[in-house]
Every structure is written in structure tokens, then in C-alpha cells.
Amino acid sequence: MRQPELLAPAGDLEKLEAALAYGADAVYLGGDHFGLRALASNFSLPQLKQAKDLVHAAGKKIYLTLNASLRPAELAALNGYLEELRPLELDAYIVADPGVFATVRRVDPAREIHLSTQVNTTNGASAEFWRAAGGKRVNLARELSLEEIRAVRATTTAEIEVFVHGAQCVAYSGRCLLSAALVDRSANSGLCAQSCRWRYALMEEKRPGQYLSIEEDSRGSYIMNSRDLCLVDYLPQLVEAGVDSFKIEGRMKGRYYVAAVTRVYRAALDCYLADPEGYRCDPVWRQELEKISHRPYGNGFLTEAQDAQVHSGDSIYRRSYDFVGVVLSLGENGRGLVEGRNRFFPGEDLELIGPGMRQVTFPVGSMASEKEQPLTVAQPNARILMQLPPGSQPGDLLRRQVASPD
Ligand code: SF4
């Protein structure tokens, strides 16, 4: 059976390491030029080299986003950047602007090009257009149903990538001017302020300052909200539809998010590929995804044109667990060195999670600083010596339950 790729975001080096350790086959990241997600801590050239070395040493792939729409002066500067990038031999560039596409083809013709979701590829003829022009892969628009993905697959030999998890836009695959219009932060430069999720009210022009609430139900209005996408239950159908790469959204998300989402999709994909006939969706996968900060989940447009589902529900984040620490190293007798990310205390229960769906709840015992000074609280960024459960590994993450998952 074909082995589709699991593609995870890498907002910085730490998240990249998490993505690799928790099961990604490939990562995507931004350089410090021309990629969307301007607020993500993007990679400089030396950092890209370091990232490439790490990824290739793990036998995986690395894709660089160059998916902004460029203005004339920016396009002129692209040549030089591509020249600097070329020796790094990254596996592919993710591109949206046809001008960027043509420039990459000219300056670095050996480089694989993937068409970004911003290109809004919705049919096989579009995919073939990009393939004939030299593109290797297209990320299909999130608006397509499963049936339509199958139809695209039947009419193109380009590789097909789809988003399976993460935030969605109410606008057509990110082509949105709302944030640019309201706060001069362009979504197409990666600076979206998520204005669609703000709270809006109605005001009559002769009564300034009198805000009338818009109520769809007792909690308010959700006229521009979208749910988060979660397609873990549909991986078999997507594999059978011929999807080559499953992409997780979220270069702005934290290390815990990247690790926890990637390991669930890794487990589900491996389970299906090992035994397609005997495959059953494990309820733990969905439970684990509920433990990550998210808006209400939905299937997007996959099963049919479910506009009502995409636009309904509120956009308040559900957060049932706090990420409190990362295991840096293990010493003798299960004593480990942990870097704190949130406060935690002796006596409380934490959960340790690791790659391969490894997880265990344990009570925090006594804690000490690296200089063996006793600690009554673990602070963010502090290094803490503490007893960890058997089987713990460097790179494992610690979390604390703060509310019931949905
Ligand atoms: S304002 Fe909302 S719909 Fe528009 S680009 Fe930002 S997240 Fe997407």
C-alpha cells in the first residue's frame, strides 16, 4: 500500500524536533523572507541549515514556505534569496504566487515546488496546469468534499496534499481582507489578527455608541466563526481517495500542540496502513485531540457542503490541559531533569506523554533545583530535578488537567 506522508508544522527548532520525535514524515517551516505567518519565529539561513541537517539525519523531509504574494520590489529581492537558499538543498518550496513559482523555476529549477492552499486548487485541470508548469504537488482547497478530492485524483498525476487538522478560515482558503481592512494586518502576509472571531455588535447610525447585540442564540452570534478542522476519523477514506500527504495546520502553535496532534495522526495512519481491513478508529485518538487547546471540531466540507456546520458554534477555545514541562534528560533510578513551562507543585497529578501514544499519570514527588536545592514550586523556564515514571524519555512532555475535556 502507498505510504502517505504526515506533514507537520515547525514554527521553530524546538517544535521541529517535537514534530520529528512524535511521528511526522515531513515538516514545513518559514524562512525570514517571503513566507506567510510573519509572526511565527521564522528561520534564518543558518537555522534553516541546522533544521535541514536535523530533518535529513532523521530520514525525513523539509519544505520551506515561500507562499506570500509579492509586490514588485519584493519579487526583485527573491532572486538573491533563492540563490542563498539553493546550497541548502531543502526538499521543496511551498509557493502560491505564480511570479514566485516562475522565479523558483528559473533560479533553482531542480527544486521541487508544492502549490500552497492559497492557490485555491479545486479541480484536476488546475492541478494538471501546475504539474505541467513544473509543480510537484498541490495542496487542495479546504472547501473540497471527499467526492471532489477523488475526482481531482482521477484527473491529475500531481501529488495531492490536504489539511487534516487545525484552524480554518471563514474566507475562501485564506483569501480574506477583513484583518487588513480593520487593523492593517494582511492575512496574505501572514499577519492575520483573526478579526472574523472578534465580537461584533450592531449600531444604528443616529445612535452612536449604543451597541445592539446580535443574537443567534443565548450566547451571542457566530456569523463569521469557523470550527477547527479534525479529520482523524476520515484517514482511511482519504488514503483510499489517493491523498499523498496529510497536513497539520499550525506554525504558530506551541510545542505541546505539535507533539500531541502529530502523535495522534501518526498512530491512526500507522494503524490503518498496517491492517486496512481490520482498522478501527481508536476512541483514544479523539480523546487526545480533545485535550489540546482548540475550537469546537468539525469535518469542514469533507463529507458534503456543510455550511451550517462550518459557521455555527462558538469560537471560544476549549482548553482542558496545561502544558507544564518538558523532560530534558534522565538520570539514574528514574530521576529526570525537567524544564518548566508552567507552574506545578509537589503532590499534584501530572500526565507524561511521549511518542507512540505513550502516556501515564503520576503524582509529583519532591523537587529540587539543579544545585539540589529543595523546591516547593516548579516555575516556568526553571530546571527541575524530579522523579519521573518508568519508561520516561528525553523529549516527553508533562501536562496538567485543568478542566474536563469535551
Ligand atoms: S480574519 Fe478570519 S477568515 Fe480572515 S484570514 Fe483571518 S482567520 Fe481567516
CSV table of all heavy atoms in Angstrom, one decimal, residues 54 88 123 156 183 188 240:
chain,number,residue,atom,x,y,z
A,54,LEU,N,19.1,18.3,10.7
A,54,LEU,CA,18.3,17.5,11.7
A,54,LEU,C,17.3,16.6,11.0
A,54,LEU,O,17.2,15.4,11.3
A,54,LEU,CB,17.5,18.4,12.7
A,54,LEU,CG,18.2,18.9,13.9
A,54,LEU,CD1,17.4,19.9,14.6
A,54,LEU,CD2,18.4,17.7,14.9
A,88,LEU,N,21.4,24.9,0.4
A,88,LEU,CA,20.8,24.2,1.5
A,88,LEU,C,20.1,22.9,1.0
A,88,LEU,O,19.9,22.0,1.8
A,88,LEU,CB,19.8,25.0,2.2
A,88,LEU,CG,20.3,26.3,2.9
A,88,LEU,CD1,19.1,27.0,3.7
A,88,LEU,CD2,21.4,26.0,3.9
A,123,ASN,N,-9.8,21.7,-8.7
A,123,ASN,CA,-10.1,20.7,-9.7
A,123,ASN,C,-8.9,20.1,-10.4
A,123,ASN,O,-7.8,20.7,-10.2
A,123,ASN,CB,-11.1,21.3,-10.8
A,123,ASN,CG,-10.4,22.5,-11.4
A,123,ASN,OD1,-9.4,22.4,-12.2
A,123,ASN,ND2,-11.0,23.7,-11.2
A,156,THR,N,-5.5,13.9,-12.3
A,156,THR,CA,-4.2,14.5,-12.3
A,156,THR,C,-3.2,13.5,-11.7
A,156,THR,O,-3.5,12.6,-10.9
A,156,THR,CB,-4.1,15.8,-11.4
A,156,THR,OG1,-2.8,16.4,-11.5
A,156,THR,CG2,-4.4,15.5,-9.9
A,183,VAL,N,-7.5,46.3,10.8
A,183,VAL,CA,-6.3,46.7,11.7
A,183,VAL,C,-5.0,46.7,10.8
A,183,VAL,O,-3.9,46.6,11.4
A,183,VAL,CB,-6.1,45.7,12.9
A,183,VAL,CG1,-7.2,46.0,13.9
A,183,VAL,CG2,-6.2,44.2,12.4
A,188,ASN,N,-2.8,37.8,4.0
A,188,ASN,CA,-1.9,37.2,2.9
A,188,ASN,C,-0.5,37.6,3.0
A,188,ASN,O,0.4,37.3,2.2
A,188,ASN,CB,-2.5,37.6,1.5
A,188,ASN,CG,-3.8,36.8,1.3
A,188,ASN,OD1,-3.8,35.6,1.5
A,188,ASN,ND2,-4.8,37.5,0.9
A,240,GLU,N,-7.7,6.1,0.7
A,240,GLU,CA,-8.3,5.4,-0.4
A,240,GLU,C,-8.6,6.4,-1.5
A,240,GLU,O,-8.6,6.0,-2.7
A,240,GLU,CB,-9.5,4.7,0.0
A,240,GLU,CG,-9.2,3.4,0.8
A,240,GLU,CD,-10.3,3.0,1.7
A,240,GLU,OE1,-11.5,3.4,1.5
A,240,GLU,OE2,-10.0,2.2,2.7
